[in-house]
Amino acid sequence: MVGAQKARTLRVIPRFTHFAAIDWSGAAGERHRGIAVAMMAANDRAPHLVRPSHVWSRGEVLEWLVEEAPAQTIFGFDMGQSLPFADAGAFFPGWADSPPDARTLWAMVDAICADDPHLGVSSFVDHPEIARHFRRPRTKLEGAREGDLFGGGRGRFRVTEAAQATMGCSPTSNFNLVGAAQVGKGSLSGMRLLHRLPREIAVWPMDPLPASGKVVVEIYTTIAALAAGRTARASKIRDSLALAQALAGLDCAPSLLPEVITDHAADALITAAWLRNHAGRGELWHPTGMKPKIAQTEGWTFGAF
């Protein structure tokens, strides 16, 4: 009986008609060339860029998702939904105001950063108690700024990031805000976006999968690149020939793009195609390492297992 119940659960997946991937950015300022939005319909032969010549703001991505994107769309955001929790039993261990779950964390980030424009997060990472847990960029006055509770080394990781590593990826800690590979700022600004989504838009795995409607998930574009035949070290693509080869590995036709493209656009295009191929796989919605407590606190990367 349990096996039959599990099998039925695995089949309850929305019938998505469109698959969107957003290469995100946590950089300062209003508009960012590091943001790219790609879309693919279920019957398309190739993904395409949404507003290909446009320089997006984070607020515009939120507006497009809520007001313009098709109703039956899965949206993959290349950012961390949350911070590590399981390793220490809290996001900010030892702090009485540490949030109990991801949605409360999103609300805290957005509230503390209420005066930060463009979904910025400077006020959050500079908060005197919270800053103790982050490795922040050096300044002329202070030099390197590693909080006394950062933990040293590469920092703290979520359970899903450990799963990513077993797949051949090289995740970075969301508590690390230093270096070209850091994703912490983008993840925190993304939490402000997640907090502002209407509640009828599901954010998986914090919300159960609805029978229909829009669903937002976390993605890691390297997972899509690996499925397209790239390696983790060569996951970034900046020319149309390499992009065509990667899309062919995902059973897609080439996208009509200039000879030279940005790696952000390529990441979004490949991941939109990957989502089209894999969003219907029941086992990816029920990864073995994603226990209920982890789902509500740390979240999960769709495709990590």
Side-chain angles (χ1 to χ4, degrees), residues 18-237:
H18 291 78
F19 308 85
I22 299 93
D23 202 46
W24 191 242
S25 173
E30 180 180 5
R31 298 187 179 276
H32 306 281
R33 296 191 180 277
I35 295 178
V37 181
M39 175 84 83
M40 188 170 187
N43 296 323
D44 284 349
R45 286 293 298 129
H48 66 275
L49 291 175
V50 178
R51 304 180 195 173
S53 61
H54 185 64
V55 182
W56 290 84
S57 71
R58 288 184 283 263
E60 286 177 334
V61 175
L62 174 61
E63 181 180 15
W64 170 80
L65 188 162
V66 174
E67 299 182 6
E68 299 180 35
Q72 294 298 117
T73 301
I74 178 173
F75 304 86
F77 276 84
D78 187 23
M79 64 188 188
Q81 295 173 324
S82 189
L83 296 171
F85 188 102
D87 64 329
F91 296 122
F92 309 110
W95 187 34
D97 292 330
S98 184
D101 54 43
R103 281 198 173 274
T104 311
L105 173 65
W106 303 344
M108 172 182 279
V109 175
D110 202 41
I112 291 176
C113 299
D115 293 330
D116 291 13
H118 318 307
L119 298 183
V121 293
S122 295
S123 296
F124 188 78
V125 299
D126 290 337
H127 183 282
E129 183 63 38
I130 295 169
R132 300 176 65 193
H133 298 266
F134 282 91
R135 177 186 285 151
R136 297 178 293 162
R138 51 189 309 123
T139 65
K140 291 182 179 179
L141 292 177
E142 299 179 75
R145 296 186 297 168
E146 182 172 309
D148 63 302
L149 299 178
F150 176 75
R154 299 175 61 211
R156 296 168 57 197
F157 286 88
R158 296 180 296 157
V159 175
T160 191
E161 288 150 0
Q164 294 170 13
T166 66
M167 300 173 69
C169 303
S170 299
T172 58
S173 172
N174 287 334
F175 280 117
N176 176 42
L177 309 180
V178 177
Q182 69 87 15
V183 295
K185 291 180 181 177
S187 297
L188 292 168
S189 67
M191 292 176 206
R192 296 193 67 186
L193 178 144
L194 294 176
H195 177 65
R196 294 178 178 213
L197 289 174
R199 285 299 280 121
E200 62 266 23
I201 297 179
V203 180
W204 179 88
M206 291 77 179
D207 298 320
L209 276 179
S212 62
K214 298 177 178 179
V215 177
V216 173
V217 301
E218 172 186 327
I219 56 171
Y220 188 13
T221 58
T222 300
I223 292 176
L226 292 171
R230 307 287 294 186
T231 66
R233 288 182 176 274
S235 64
K236 297 301 179 184
I237 290 176

Side-chain angles (χ1 to χ4, degrees), residues 15-22 37-50 64 69-76 243 246-255 265 267-279:
R15 293 182 177 272
F16 298 113
T17 63
H18 291 78
F19 308 85
I22 299 93
V37 181
M39 175 84 83
M40 188 170 187
N43 296 323
D44 284 349
R45 286 293 298 129
H48 66 275
L49 291 175
V50 178
W64 170 80
Q72 294 298 117
T73 301
I74 178 173
F75 304 86
L243 175 61
L247 290 174
L250 296 170
D251 194 29
C252 292
S255 289
D267 281 348
L269 288 161
I270 291 170
T271 308
W274 179 85
L275 280 171
R276 191 279 306 264
N277 291 351
H278 295 277

